[in-house]
Amino acid sequence: MVTKPLYTTISTGKYKGKKLELPSLESTRSTKAILKGSLFDTLQYEVMDTTFVEVFGGSGSIGLEALSRGADHAYFIEKEHDAARILKRNCKAIDETHTTVLCGDSFTLLPTLFSTLRTPTYFYFDPPFSIREGMEEVYQNTLRLIASLPQDKTIAAIVEHMSAEVLPETIGSYTLQKTKKFGKSSLSYYR
């Protein structure tokens, strides 16, 4: 049985209304529209002229939304092959010049990206929920990755996580500014 592709759209900015294909929900989890809307209501115009890194890329919907709203460049890291293929197609369809897709493990690849960042950067972390098989340590590993972010290049680290997962008040030199809950998912902002 052939399944029809699922889509989401960019909600605001120069690419408003453009469709993005979503990877299989068996391998990735799509960010809820209400959560994405809240994220960009919080960031507003701060995202303009910045770099945006979507650490667990999926479809790229968050980073491509940031690009649509004025970010200079969006980087994506995605490990799962089918999701990475769809992510590359989405970037090509929206803005191939201002996007970079890195295929592989976020925990290995993100540190290699630090030296290439030239403008202030937002890091968006949406790791697989720890309830998935093999992901029991994903939050601890993500917290270590956040602690390693270069202070001189980081505007904020934003984490999309299970609401049941309470994140610490500080991660390395970053302090929790706020957490917003959306049912089973939450967004936590560190600066």
Side-chain angles (χ1 to χ4, degrees):
M1 183 176 143
V2 177
T3 57
K4 290 173 106 177
L6 300 171
Y7 293 92
T8 187
T9 57
I10 293 179
S11 58
T12 302
K14 63 183 170 184
Y15 303 122
K16 180 180 179 176
K18 295 261 189 184
K19 283 188 175 184
L20 302 174
E21 186 179 346
L22 296 174
S24 163
L25 297 179
E26 292 174 15
S27 62
T28 63
R29 176 181 40 79
S30 180
T31 296
K32 293 178 187 172
I34 190 169
L35 192 143
K36 183 168 75 169
S38 175
L39 168 69
F40 286 103
D41 285 348
T42 297
L43 299 182
Q44 296 271 336
Y45 300 106
E46 289 179 39
V47 78
M48 291 185 74
D49 303 321
T50 64
T51 300
F52 199 96
V53 179
E54 191 170 352
V55 180
F56 300 89
S59 68
S61 67
I62 301 295
L64 290 169
E65 184 78 33
L67 205 61
S68 183
R69 292 168 182 251
D72 281 340
H73 198 91
Y75 289 90
F76 305 89
I77 304 172
E78 179 54 53
K79 182 178 181 178
E80 206 275 319
H81 294 292
D82 287 336
R85 188 173 37 77
I86 289 169
L87 173 57
K88 286 178 182 177
R89 271 201 310 259
N90 286 339
C91 289
K92 186 174 184 176
I94 301 300
D95 187 344
E96 193 172 22
T97 305
H98 296 97
T99 54
T100 303
V101 177
L102 304 171
C103 301
D105 188 294
S106 294
F107 300 108
T108 305
L109 289 178
L110 181 61
T112 69
L113 187 59
F114 295 157
S115 65
T116 66
L117 301 173
R118 300 283 175 251
T119 57
T121 304
Y122 283 96
F123 293 91
Y124 188 83
F125 295 85
D126 180 12
F129 279 179
S130 61
I131 54 175
R132 284 186 40 198
E133 187 175 328
M135 293 295 152
E136 296 80 8
E137 302 294 316
V138 73
Y139 284 121
Q140 292 82 354
N141 293 336
T142 299
L143 296 180
R144 280 194 288 277
L145 203 52
I146 293 169
S148 76
L149 295 176
Q151 283 182 274
D152 62 327
K153 296 178 180 178
T154 303
I155 301 169
I158 303 154
V159 187
E160 182 178 336
H161 58 93
M162 295 186 315
S163 293
E165 185 76 28
V166 178
L167 298 185
E169 288 295 314
T170 59
I171 303 173
S173 58
Y174 301 99
T175 303
L176 180 65
Q177 302 295 301
K178 66 178 174 180
T179 297
K180 289 181 134 184
K181 186 177 177 182
F182 306 87
K184 292 180 181 178
S185 296
S186 291
L187 278 178
S188 291
Y189 296 79
Y190 287 86
R191 292 188 186 254

